[in-house]
Short mmCIF file of all heavy atoms in Angstrom, two decimals:
data_model
loop_
_atom_site.label_atom_id
_atom_site.label_comp_id
_atom_site.label_asym_id
_atom_site.label_seq_id
_atom_site.Cartn_x
_atom_site.Cartn_y
_atom_site.Cartn_z
N SER A 59 -24.65 -10.64 -61.34
CA SER A 59 -24.09 -11.86 -60.76
C SER A 59 -25.01 -12.45 -59.69
O SER A 59 -25.82 -11.75 -59.08
CB SER A 59 -22.71 -11.59 -60.16
OG SER A 59 -22.82 -10.72 -59.04
N ASP A 60 -24.84 -13.75 -59.47
CA ASP A 60 -25.60 -14.41 -58.41
C ASP A 60 -25.30 -13.77 -57.05
O ASP A 60 -26.20 -13.62 -56.20
CB ASP A 60 -25.26 -15.90 -58.36
CG ASP A 60 -25.87 -16.67 -59.51
OD1 ASP A 60 -26.59 -16.06 -60.33
OD2 ASP A 60 -25.62 -17.89 -59.60
N SER A 61 -24.03 -13.39 -56.84
CA SER A 61 -23.67 -12.80 -55.55
C SER A 61 -24.37 -11.47 -55.32
O SER A 61 -24.76 -11.15 -54.19
CB SER A 61 -22.15 -12.62 -55.45
OG SER A 61 -21.68 -11.74 -56.45
N GLU A 62 -24.55 -10.67 -56.38
CA GLU A 62 -25.25 -9.40 -56.24
C GLU A 62 -26.70 -9.63 -55.85
O GLU A 62 -27.26 -8.93 -55.01
CB GLU A 62 -25.18 -8.59 -57.53
CG GLU A 62 -25.88 -7.24 -57.44
CD GLU A 62 -25.80 -6.41 -58.71
OE1 GLU A 62 -25.12 -6.84 -59.66
OE2 GLU A 62 -26.43 -5.34 -58.75
N ILE A 63 -27.31 -10.64 -56.46
CA ILE A 63 -28.70 -10.95 -56.15
C ILE A 63 -28.81 -11.48 -54.72
O ILE A 63 -29.69 -11.07 -53.94
CB ILE A 63 -29.28 -11.97 -57.15
CG1 ILE A 63 -29.22 -11.39 -58.57
CG2 ILE A 63 -30.71 -12.33 -56.79
CD1 ILE A 63 -29.58 -12.38 -59.65
N TRP A 64 -27.90 -12.39 -54.35
CA TRP A 64 -27.95 -12.94 -53.00
C TRP A 64 -27.71 -11.87 -51.95
O TRP A 64 -28.31 -11.89 -50.87
CB TRP A 64 -26.91 -14.06 -52.84
CG TRP A 64 -27.44 -15.42 -53.19
CD1 TRP A 64 -27.00 -16.26 -54.18
CD2 TRP A 64 -28.53 -16.10 -52.55
NE1 TRP A 64 -27.75 -17.41 -54.19
CE2 TRP A 64 -28.69 -17.35 -53.21
CE3 TRP A 64 -29.39 -15.78 -51.50
CZ2 TRP A 64 -29.67 -18.25 -52.84
CZ3 TRP A 64 -30.37 -16.69 -51.13
CH2 TRP A 64 -30.50 -17.92 -51.79
N ASP A 65 -26.82 -10.90 -52.24
CA ASP A 65 -26.60 -9.80 -51.31
C ASP A 65 -27.90 -9.05 -51.05
O ASP A 65 -28.21 -8.68 -49.91
CB ASP A 65 -25.54 -8.84 -51.85
CG ASP A 65 -24.12 -9.35 -51.65
OD1 ASP A 65 -23.96 -10.31 -50.87
OD2 ASP A 65 -23.21 -8.80 -52.28
N SER A 66 -28.66 -8.79 -52.12
CA SER A 66 -29.92 -8.08 -51.96
C SER A 66 -30.92 -8.91 -51.15
O SER A 66 -31.66 -8.38 -50.31
CB SER A 66 -30.51 -7.75 -53.33
OG SER A 66 -29.70 -6.83 -54.02
N VAL A 67 -30.94 -10.22 -51.41
CA VAL A 67 -31.85 -11.10 -50.68
C VAL A 67 -31.51 -11.11 -49.19
O VAL A 67 -32.38 -10.95 -48.32
CB VAL A 67 -31.80 -12.53 -51.25
CG1 VAL A 67 -32.62 -13.49 -50.38
CG2 VAL A 67 -32.32 -12.56 -52.69
N LYS A 68 -30.22 -11.26 -48.87
CA LYS A 68 -29.79 -11.34 -47.47
C LYS A 68 -29.89 -9.99 -46.76
O LYS A 68 -30.32 -9.90 -45.61
CB LYS A 68 -28.37 -11.89 -47.40
CG LYS A 68 -28.25 -13.36 -47.80
CD LYS A 68 -26.86 -13.90 -47.59
CE LYS A 68 -25.88 -13.29 -48.56
NZ LYS A 68 -24.52 -13.89 -48.42
N ASN A 69 -29.46 -8.92 -47.46
CA ASN A 69 -29.45 -7.60 -46.82
C ASN A 69 -30.85 -7.07 -46.54
O ASN A 69 -31.05 -6.27 -45.62
CB ASN A 69 -28.69 -6.60 -47.69
CG ASN A 69 -27.21 -6.91 -47.75
OD1 ASN A 69 -26.68 -7.65 -46.93
ND2 ASN A 69 -26.54 -6.35 -48.74
N SER A 70 -31.83 -7.51 -47.34
CA SER A 70 -33.19 -7.01 -47.16
C SER A 70 -33.98 -7.81 -46.13
O SER A 70 -35.03 -7.37 -45.67
CB SER A 70 -33.94 -7.06 -48.51
OG SER A 70 -34.03 -8.39 -48.99
N LEU A 71 -33.45 -8.97 -45.74
CA LEU A 71 -34.20 -9.83 -44.82
C LEU A 71 -34.45 -9.19 -43.46
O LEU A 71 -35.56 -9.28 -42.92
CB LEU A 71 -33.46 -11.17 -44.65
CG LEU A 71 -34.19 -12.27 -43.89
CD1 LEU A 71 -35.55 -12.56 -44.54
CD2 LEU A 71 -33.35 -13.53 -43.83
N PRO A 72 -33.44 -8.50 -42.85
CA PRO A 72 -33.71 -7.90 -41.53
C PRO A 72 -34.81 -6.84 -41.53
O PRO A 72 -35.41 -6.58 -40.49
CB PRO A 72 -32.35 -7.27 -41.16
CG PRO A 72 -31.35 -8.04 -41.95
CD PRO A 72 -32.03 -8.34 -43.25
N CYS A 73 -35.05 -6.21 -42.68
CA CYS A 73 -36.11 -5.18 -42.74
C CYS A 73 -37.21 -5.59 -43.71
O CYS A 73 -37.85 -4.74 -44.33
CB CYS A 73 -35.52 -3.83 -43.11
SG CYS A 73 -34.58 -3.80 -44.64
N ALA A 74 -37.40 -6.91 -43.85
CA ALA A 74 -38.43 -7.40 -44.75
C ALA A 74 -39.81 -6.92 -44.33
O ALA A 74 -40.11 -6.80 -43.13
CB ALA A 74 -38.40 -8.93 -44.79
N TRP A 75 -40.65 -6.65 -45.32
CA TRP A 75 -42.02 -6.24 -45.02
C TRP A 75 -42.76 -7.40 -44.37
O TRP A 75 -42.61 -8.56 -44.74
CB TRP A 75 -42.74 -5.84 -46.31
CG TRP A 75 -44.17 -5.43 -46.06
CD1 TRP A 75 -44.62 -4.20 -45.68
CD2 TRP A 75 -45.33 -6.26 -46.15
NE1 TRP A 75 -45.98 -4.21 -45.54
CE2 TRP A 75 -46.45 -5.46 -45.81
CE3 TRP A 75 -45.54 -7.60 -46.47
CZ2 TRP A 75 -47.74 -5.96 -45.80
CZ3 TRP A 75 -46.83 -8.11 -46.45
CH2 TRP A 75 -47.92 -7.28 -46.12
N GLN A 76 -43.57 -7.08 -43.35
CA GLN A 76 -44.37 -8.09 -42.68
C GLN A 76 -45.81 -7.63 -42.63
O GLN A 76 -46.09 -6.44 -42.39
CB GLN A 76 -43.87 -8.31 -41.24
CG GLN A 76 -42.47 -8.88 -41.18
CD GLN A 76 -42.02 -9.10 -39.74
OE1 GLN A 76 -42.73 -8.78 -38.81
NE2 GLN A 76 -40.82 -9.65 -39.58
N PRO A 77 -46.76 -8.54 -42.86
CA PRO A 77 -48.17 -8.16 -42.78
C PRO A 77 -48.53 -7.74 -41.37
O PRO A 77 -47.91 -8.18 -40.40
CB PRO A 77 -48.91 -9.46 -43.19
CG PRO A 77 -47.93 -10.55 -42.91
CD PRO A 77 -46.57 -9.97 -43.18
N ARG A 78 -49.49 -6.83 -41.27
CA ARG A 78 -49.92 -6.35 -39.95
C ARG A 78 -50.41 -7.51 -39.11
O ARG A 78 -51.19 -8.36 -39.55
CB ARG A 78 -51.03 -5.31 -40.11
CG ARG A 78 -51.43 -4.67 -38.79
CD ARG A 78 -52.52 -3.65 -39.02
NE ARG A 78 -52.07 -2.60 -39.89
CZ ARG A 78 -51.39 -1.54 -39.47
NH1 ARG A 78 -51.07 -1.43 -38.20
NH2 ARG A 78 -51.00 -0.62 -40.33
N PHE A 79 -49.93 -7.59 -37.89
CA PHE A 79 -50.29 -8.69 -36.99
C PHE A 79 -51.22 -8.16 -35.90
O PHE A 79 -50.90 -7.18 -35.23
CB PHE A 79 -49.03 -9.28 -36.36
CG PHE A 79 -49.30 -10.44 -35.43
CD1 PHE A 79 -49.75 -11.64 -35.94
CD2 PHE A 79 -49.11 -10.30 -34.07
CE1 PHE A 79 -49.98 -12.72 -35.09
CE2 PHE A 79 -49.34 -11.37 -33.22
CZ PHE A 79 -49.77 -12.57 -33.73
N THR A 80 -52.36 -8.78 -35.73
CA THR A 80 -53.36 -8.27 -34.79
C THR A 80 -53.58 -9.20 -33.60
O THR A 80 -54.42 -8.95 -32.76
CB THR A 80 -54.70 -8.09 -35.50
OG1 THR A 80 -55.10 -9.34 -36.10
CG2 THR A 80 -54.58 -7.04 -36.60
N GLY A 81 -52.81 -10.29 -33.53
CA GLY A 81 -52.96 -11.21 -32.41
C GLY A 81 -52.21 -10.75 -31.19
O GLY A 81 -51.82 -9.60 -31.05
#
Side-chain angles (χ1 to χ4, degrees):
S59 66
D60 287 358
S61 62
E62 181 179 356
I63 300 172
W64 270 118
D65 281 346
S66 295
V67 173
K68 291 185 291 184
N69 292 342
S70 61
L71 189 56
C73 56
W75 179 85
Q76 296 180 357
R78 186 180 298 276
F79 181 69
T80 57

